[in-house]
Amino acid sequence: MDGIIYREMTLIDVEQVYGIECACFTQPWSVKSLQDEILRNDVAHYLVAELDGKIVGYVGMWAMCGEAHMTNIAVASDYRRQGIATNLILNLMRVATDLGANCMTLEVRENNHNAQRIYAALGFKYVGLRRKYYSDTGENALILWNESIVDTLAKNKINLEDKNQ
């Protein structure tokens, strides 16, 4: 989608991100949790997708020890199926490589087939199951890994040297 800016999340963005959290999840992260990720968690890194001053999606990760763990991702319902989630993840992968990570992991709901398709297209592979991981439904989580985010970025023609893509 044209006109979307992918950038680091700031405290000013938290209110809009929290709105997306509440619309997308039955157990959203609190405003304080989102603020603490930005202010107090040295391994946390969050990006937003902004269109005409409005936050339409966001993604977060913890990066440490050469690995990145995607903690959350959400796109506002009116903006789904337009490539925003894919672009958020690719931009997050670029940040992860800048931080020295070469692989990325995440958990996804067992029945979230739309997200699983996006992750598979970005090189994530199933490696395990966390039983009853989601406390709101008792649903299992699939554990996915991408063993080479640099390869994924190259396959998607993302130049690691050009930060303005």
Side-chain angles (χ1 to χ4, degrees):
M1 177 176 229
D2 290 340
I4 293 189
I5 298 167
Y6 297 90
R7 62 169 177 78
E8 185 177 348
M9 186 169 100
T10 67
L11 283 175
I12 294 167
D13 302 321
V14 168
E15 186 176 321
Q16 289 186 68
V17 167
Y18 178 69
I20 293 171
E21 268 285 300
C22 291
C24 293
F25 302 113
T26 58
Q27 292 185 311
W29 285 29
S30 68
V31 168
K32 183 176 182 336
S33 293
L34 293 165
Q35 291 170 335
D36 285 350
E37 285 291 279
I38 294 170
L39 293 172
R40 293 181 177 80
N41 187 344
D42 293 338
V43 300
H45 304 275
Y46 285 77
L47 302 175
V48 295
E50 180 182 4
L51 178 63
D52 299 327
K54 179 181 178 181
I55 304 302
V56 298
Y58 79 98
V59 65
M61 74 173 167
W62 296 337
M64 63 194 129
C65 304
E67 298 177 355
H69 182 150
M70 189 186 318
T71 55
N72 42 12
I73 183 169
V75 174
S77 60
D78 290 348
Y79 298 91
R80 292 186 186 149
R81 300 183 193 276
Q82 299 177 43
I84 295 170
T86 296
N87 286 326
L88 278 165
I89 296 166
L90 289 168
N91 278 280
L92 191 70
M93 286 178 170
R94 185 197 317 235
V95 171
T97 61
D98 289 348
L99 295 167
N102 52 27
C103 57
M104 184 176 277
T105 187
L106 59 89
E107 291 90 11
V108 62
R109 288 180 186 266
E110 190 172 42
N111 293 316
N112 190 344
H113 302 293
N114 290 334
Q116 290 172 36
R117 279 190 286 280
I118 292 168
Y119 300 140
L122 292 172
F124 286 89
K125 308 264 190 264
Y126 172 84
V127 297
L129 184 74
R130 296 194 197 283
R131 295 202 179 278
K132 299 182 181 179
Y133 182 76
Y134 295 99
S135 60
D136 59 336
T137 62
E139 190 174 352
N140 297 332
L142 306 181
I143 305 166
L144 306 180
W145 274 91
N146 178 315
E147 294 292 338
S148 179
I149 56 179
V150 170
D151 287 350
T152 298
L153 290 168
K155 286 177 188 168
N156 285 276
K157 299 181 178 22
I158 304 294
N159 181 346
L160 290 175
E161 305 305 315
D162 181 6
K163 304 299 181 198
N164 297 316
Q165 290 188 30

